[in-house]
Amino acid sequence: MINEVDPRFRHLKKKIALFAVVALAIVVAVILLIGKENDLFVKKYELSFTVDKGTGFTRGLPVKLSGFRIGRLKSISLNEAAKVDIVLQIDERYRKWIRSDSTVKLVKEGLVGDAVIEISVGSPEKSVLQDGNQLVYQKTKALDELADELGEKVKPVLSDISDIIGYLNDPNGDIKQSLKNFNQLSKNLEKTRQNTDSLLVQAGQEVGTVSGKLSGVLDDTSATVKRANAAMAQVEQKLPALLGHAERSLDNMAQVSQDLKRFEEQELPKVAPLLDKAEQALGETNSVVDAAKTIWPLSGRIKAPQERQFVPGDSHD
Amino acid sequence: MTKARKAAARRCLTTMLLALFALAWQGCAGTAVRDVPQARLQAIKHNQRGVDAGSKGNQDAALAEFTEALRLHSSIENWDGMVVARINIARTHRLKGDPASARRALERALLVLPQSTDLASELFFENAKVYLAAGDLAAAQDWALQAAAADKGSELGRRLNLVGAILFRAGSPEQAREKAEQALKLNRDRKVEAEEANSLRLLGEIHLAQGREGQAAESFEAALLLDKSLGLAKKIALDLRGLGAAALQKEDLPAATAYYGRALEVSRSIRDTASAAGDLAQLADLKRRSGDAPAAQKLDEERAKLTSEERKLSGPISARSSTGP
């Protein structure tokens, strides 16, 4: 039989009530924490944009501005034009940064990181976007598109490398032929060396013969040198006389040069005044002639200068 | 002293006195030369030298002289002299084959043309020639008519000749004929033989264009006589070509050949290569029409050779030929 006054059941009601209160407090704290984490208690406004393909966009996708999370993707839906309308939910406190020239794009955080929506900071002189306004979507290339692009760029390089390898391996190509020729040249060089050896042996044998002939040539040379000596002796005899003549000619030239210099110094300065006088005399003569032209009987025979004299201008020239 | 000796001495003294009187009278009767400023005299001399250089075919030297004359006239503000110098500069440019420079010179002359001068007619005449050289017949006709209207009479025949020539080129042969006949009468009355020959040549061309070969030949013959008497070689060649064309129109091929042959010789003798080449082409055509193909071929070859030689020499044919007599 159970004792009704068992000490373990004493204050049981109070204990249950305390337990319930603590549990309820924990549940409320958890809800608050989750709500805060999900920005449930922050005032928000909505912005939207439209994309061609919804690939990469999922509900709840974080929205970032300068690396800070400022909201999330609220909804994604297909519109009448078969394009994708995306609505973002942004914290009210970040409104001041998002302006009419702000753009939105889908980016990856790192090469294999999570996708995030990034909004750029707008210019201060532009207007702040209001609830429900449209953002401009800036398309970014997906990894597969980048890979395709890279592939297109690499293709010709690979093709060139393939061509080069083919060229190098071609048995009739320049490289292979050059190597073949080089081998042939090496073989021929060996033959050449052998020929050179035999040539040197022959040369050694013929040097004796040549030296015999050389001696005859030297004899002839000796005779020629003797004749040259005789000629030189004659020249030596005649040279002093010739030099004497040349010296006298040079003296004469020096004399002439001195005379010319003296003439230049003494007579040349007289030339300019003489020319002046001649010009003056000519001018005076002209005046006399001009005056004479005006005196009878010449005045009647000499035509007075005509001012209106034209180049003949025929009607049919 | 006998009576006879006294009479002889008296006669001698009388004769000497009469001779002295005659000398004094001649001296006083001579025109007193007005004192002309030195700069003006120098300008006139430069102008004269320019005209002389131009007549010898040295157009560059002529231009230099006229430019100096213009400078001197400008220094003493002698407007008439400036206009004369500019007309001469323009004419020399035109003869050198540079109508643009000629026009510029004339435009400046028009700016300084004094109101009370009789130089306007010559200036308008040169303007007409420049426009004619540039192929602007309407403007040329306008200026030529102004030149004729402004003429005080001494050169009217020459002005009318130009009006007639422009009208003929513009396709008005009847009006051209009227002007040419007026010009012929004026030039004959005033004994301006070179222009009389020009009137006759123009009339010959008009007759020829209107199918009156006989009258055309007469006009060209008369022009030829005058040009020969004046020794104008280029004009003689033109007259002979006119006679050749008249003979050709009458289907008298031998006569035409003879005239064109004479024109060729004249052109060759004055080294007018372009005209000579034209004569050779005409002669080759005549030979072909006469059925003498080898002779025609030979003449064509000769013409080709002449043309290529001319090209090798400096300057275009037209520029060289324009400096001829």
Side-chain angles (χ1 to χ4, degrees), chain A residues 286 290 293-294 296 299 305-317, chain B residues 23 26 40 47-48 66 78 80 88 91 94 118 129 158 161 195 198 201 235:
Chain A
N286 267 342
D290 286 343
K293 283 177 185 173
T294 63
W296 183 85
S299 61
Q306 288 184 345
E307 191 165 62
R308 292 185 177 187
Q309 194 171 9
F310 294 106
V311 172
D314 196 289
S315 66
H316 196 159
D317 53 16
Chain B
L23 282 170
Q26 275 289 333
R40 194 167 170 183
N47 192 56
Q48 172 69 52
F66 293 139
N78 180 16
D80 277 12
N88 280 334
R91 194 161 283 169
R94 175 170 60 80
D118 52 351
K129 293 288 288 183
R158 184 160 68 105
N161 264 343
E195 284 301 327
N198 286 341
R201 198 179 313 103
K235 300 287 176 64

Side-chain angles (χ1 to χ4, degrees), chain B residues 257 264 268 279-304:
Chain B
T257 308
L264 172 65
R268 270 185 175 152
D279 292 334
L280 281 167
Q282 192 66 51
L283 283 167
D285 190 42
L286 283 166
K287 289 286 177 192
R288 253 189 293 277
R289 287 173 70 170
S290 313
D292 191 353
Q297 173 76 21
K298 204 175 163 188
L299 286 164
D300 277 335
E301 284 168 8
E302 200 178 335
R303 183 172 63 88

